[in-house]
Amino acid sequence: MRIDIISIFPDYFAPLDVSLIGKARERGTLDVRVHQLRDWAHDVHKSVDDTPYGGGPGMVMKPEVWGEAIDSVIGDGAPRMVVPTPSGRPFTQELAQELAGEPWLLFACGRYEGIDSRVVEEYSERLRVDEVGIGDYVLAGGEVAVLVMVEAVGRLLPGVLGNAQSAVDDSFAPGAMRNLVEGPVYTKPPVWRGREVPDVLLSGHHGKIARWRRDQALRRTVRNRPELAAELDPEMLDKHDRKL
Ligand SMILES: COc1ccc(Cn2ccc3ccc(-c4cc(N)[nH]n4)cc32)cc1
């Protein structure tokens, strides 16, 4: 997979050189290219923003600069374009899996009060463009949102997670763990400050362990994410103690 990121803060993406994503880049599984938007700003101040039409606070990012940058990065290609924004469609595990199936992603990182809306209009005529948010809170720009999305997508690519790890049992992923959050996890020592690991996990009985883990995930989902629990199959809930 190729990923292009355009931003006025390319240094924000240094974390993509480390850990899982960094190794995937070294192996060539992931080809991440970060571009400085100001390289396509031609005035002496390399300005990328201007005052908003209609008034209001802050500044808006200029369409000309973005148009030149995107045209230069994509050429005649047609990547799937993702534009982080507070008002975007929610980024979910399902969308991460969808994006992980794309050969080429282009992330447009806005700053200030966002990017002139005509940019999305322009490229929506030629590319699949998604405006995406990562939660109901307001960031100062799109860079952190892109880091979140690149990590969530990158870990789903073949060979990125080591054999010991697997995205198959992810929370929220389709299948048995769909709409369930992670249950508790434990490792050695078996007793730590007088606290023991649940016996079932030491039993070696894989069926019981799987059932216990789903029960714990369900309990935690009901406690921490009641809105997800409400979507679960009522039969699943009936099997477990509804009260926590
Ligand atoms: C119109 O209101 C605002 C519009 C933009 C901004 C700052 N900003 C500029 C670009 C940009 C990209 C993504 C996000 C973002 C995404 C999520 N989930 N929260 N915040 C924030 C962004 C502040 C306020």
Side-chain angles (χ1 to χ4, degrees):
M1 178 189 280
R2 175 179 165 178
I3 296 179
D4 284 280
I5 303 169
I6 304 174
S7 165
I8 59 172
F9 294 122
D11 293 350
Y12 245 99
F13 300 99
L16 297 182
D17 293 331
V18 300
S19 186
L20 292 176
I21 304 298
K23 289 186 176 55
R25 293 174 76 178
E26 283 166 21
R27 282 199 302 269
T29 307
L30 210 43
D31 170 13
V32 179
R33 306 177 194 189
V34 182
H35 310 273
Q36 171 51 273
L37 177 67
R38 293 191 192 278
D39 291 350
W40 288 278
H42 305 305
D43 65 302
V44 66
H45 299 296
K46 296 251 175 213
S47 60
V48 296
D49 62 302
D50 205 333
T51 53
Y53 276 123
M59 302 292 272
V60 173
M61 299 190 97
K62 299 161 66 72
E64 308 99 311
V65 185
W66 273 103
E68 284 197 34
I70 294 170
D71 288 348
S72 167
V73 167
I74 71 175
D76 296 333
R80 181 154 177 185
M81 184 166 158
V82 177
V83 184
T85 168
S87 55
R89 68 183 280 201
F91 182 64
T92 62
Q93 190 66 16
E94 191 174 353
L95 180 53
Q97 283 171 338
E98 190 183 316
L99 295 179
E102 295 286 345
W104 185 10
L105 299 175
L106 166 65
F107 289 95
C109 289
R111 277 271 153 175
Y112 307 102
E113 297 300 304
I115 302 172
D116 183 299
S117 297
R118 289 169 291 181
V119 173
V120 165
E121 220 176 280
E122 163 80 358
Y123 289 96
S124 294
E125 289 179 6
R126 178 178 147 197
L127 309 172
R128 169 86 189 260
V129 181
D130 290 278
E131 293 182 277
V132 181
I134 59 164
D136 293 334
Y137 40 80
V138 181
L139 302 168
E143 285 79 7
V144 167
V146 170
L147 282 171
V148 165
M149 290 189 266
V150 168
E151 178 156 317
V153 170
R155 67 185 288 280
L156 296 175
L157 299 178
V160 174
L161 285 181
N163 293 335
Q165 299 167 284
S166 159
V168 173
D169 299 336
D170 272 352
S171 301
F172 313 112
M177 296 300 281
R178 180 174 177 70
N179 270 1
L180 286 180
V181 297
E182 292 295 334
V185 289
Y186 302 86
T187 186
K188 294 184 276 299
V191 183
W192 173 70
R193 295 188 180 178
R195 299 176 189 281
E196 297 178 359
V197 170
D199 289 339
V200 67
L201 297 181
L202 308 175
S203 69
H205 193 299
H206 299 298
K208 284 184 180 172
I209 290 169
R211 277 194 301 280
W212 182 86
R213 282 177 167 159
R214 280 181 56 72
D215 181 71
Q216 291 300 312
L218 187 69
R219 288 165 182 274
R220 191 176 276 189
T221 305
V222 170
R223 183 171 67 244
N224 297 343
R225 296 292 303 273
E227 81 284 1
L228 289 181
E231 291 175 26
L232 293 171
D233 179 344
E235 193 192 306
M236 183 192 292
L237 285 169
D238 285 342
K239 273 192 230 158
H240 298 272
D241 180 0
R242 284 175 180 269
K243 295 180 296 303
L244 287 162

